[in-house]
Amino acid sequence: MLKKDRYKAFVEYFSTHNPDAQTELHYGNPYELLVAVILSAQCTDKRINQVTPALFKRFPDPESLAASNQDEVFTYIRSVSYPNNKAKHLVGMAQKLLGDFNGIVPEKVEDLVKLPGVGRKTANVISSVVYNNPSMAVDTHVFRVSNRLGLTSNATTPLAVEKQLVKYLPQETIAIAHHWLILHGRYICLARTPKCDQCPITYFCKYFEKTKKAKPIAKVASA
């Protein structure tokens, strides 16, 4: 199957079967989403959603977070991965958000990455989810699934994957395609044991073509 046909099949399937895909992080405004995404690095959304209600109650806006300190923030996020670094980043992010952006979460990726704790992946999430821009955030799920499906080829870095996906996906689908890839990777196309027997899109999956479709020939026992 040609790459263009894989992209067409990918978009057609998920547009029909998951047209409203969205992040599983719980948030009420752009500031809360930014905090949640920073916390979610190398951590599960489920864990972050357990932590953020109390965190958002104590720090409902950038002003309250900026006025706090690393030690206090740590007490609210101690159960997430790398809590010390993330506590430091959150306070620094809020202070810079107030100082440079008047407390408003910026739209452009190049502005977002200026905030402490915000890398390109996080910036792309905010740009696409909050502002519906054609930005493709590449996490481990997106990286793995796009390569397995054959949407990308010879892409060995997140940036390379991002560039290929943005190049070949219809622009209006880029933001939601990020969620399609994440959710498929989270629940079906698992890293170690992909659930190919349950997967509805094996008909255009390059990984399935290579590893599952060709059945080994059984050896005939000697007489």
Side-chain angles (χ1 to χ4, degrees):
M1 180 181 283
L2 297 175
K3 181 176 288 190
K4 66 176 183 179
D5 296 322
R6 292 186 195 276
Y7 272 93
K8 182 180 179 182
F10 171 76
V11 172
E12 286 180 349
Y13 177 84
F14 285 102
S15 293
T16 301
H17 293 88
N18 200 358
D20 301 313
Q22 56 188 293
T23 179
E24 293 186 317
L25 290 171
H26 298 165
Y27 69 99
N29 55 56
Y31 156 75
E32 289 187 354
L33 179 62
L34 179 56
V35 170
V37 177
I38 290 174
L39 288 174
S40 71
Q42 299 182 351
C43 198
T44 66
D45 287 0
K46 181 179 179 180
R47 169 61 60 185
I48 303 308
N49 289 336
Q50 293 172 342
V51 167
T52 49
L55 182 70
F56 293 155
K57 184 176 181 180
R58 171 62 183 87
F59 308 110
D61 48 44
E63 289 81 4
S64 55
L65 184 56
S68 184
N69 57 70
Q70 179 180 345
D71 290 339
E72 183 186 12
V73 174
F74 174 86
T75 63
Y76 288 88
I77 66 169
R78 64 172 71 244
S79 64
V80 309
S81 60
Y82 307 106
N84 282 301
N85 284 339
K86 289 179 180 178
K88 180 180 178 180
H89 287 154
L90 288 179
V91 174
M93 177 276 291
Q95 291 172 346
K96 193 167 183 64
L97 197 62
L98 291 174
D100 294 1
F101 300 102
N102 298 315
I104 299 172
V105 175
E107 176 178 355
K108 296 180 179 179
V109 170
E110 53 264 37
D111 289 331
L112 285 160
V113 295
K114 296 176 183 177
L115 300 170
V118 177
R120 186 171 183 85
K121 185 202 78 173
T122 297
N124 278 327
V125 170
I126 301 303
S127 180
S128 62
V129 174
V130 175
Y131 298 103
N132 201 34
N133 288 325
S135 301
M136 173 56 68
V138 178
D139 67 355
T140 56
H141 296 304
V142 173
F143 188 92
R144 178 178 70 256
V145 175
S146 60
N147 274 293
R148 281 183 178 171
L149 290 178
L151 299 178
T152 56
S153 55
N154 300 316
T156 59
T157 66
L159 182 58
V161 169
E162 176 188 335
K163 288 182 176 179
Q164 288 191 34
L165 291 173
V166 169
K167 178 179 179 180
Y168 291 106
L169 280 168
Q171 188 174 32
E172 67 276 10
T173 69
I174 292 174
I176 194 171
H178 161 74
H179 300 302
W180 290 338
L181 290 164
I182 284 181
L183 295 173
H184 191 67
R186 186 171 291 166
Y187 297 110
I188 299 293
C189 196
L190 308 182
R192 294 185 179 180
T193 54
K195 300 177 181 179
C196 295
D197 58 330
Q198 300 177 29
C199 181
I201 58 173
T202 54
Y203 61 95
F204 67 83
C205 177
K206 195 170 185 177
Y207 174 85
F208 185 80
E209 288 177 3
K210 288 184 175 181
T211 63
K212 305 294 182 180
K213 199 171 183 179
K215 301 292 184 181
I217 298 175
K219 293 183 178 179
V220 178
S222 58

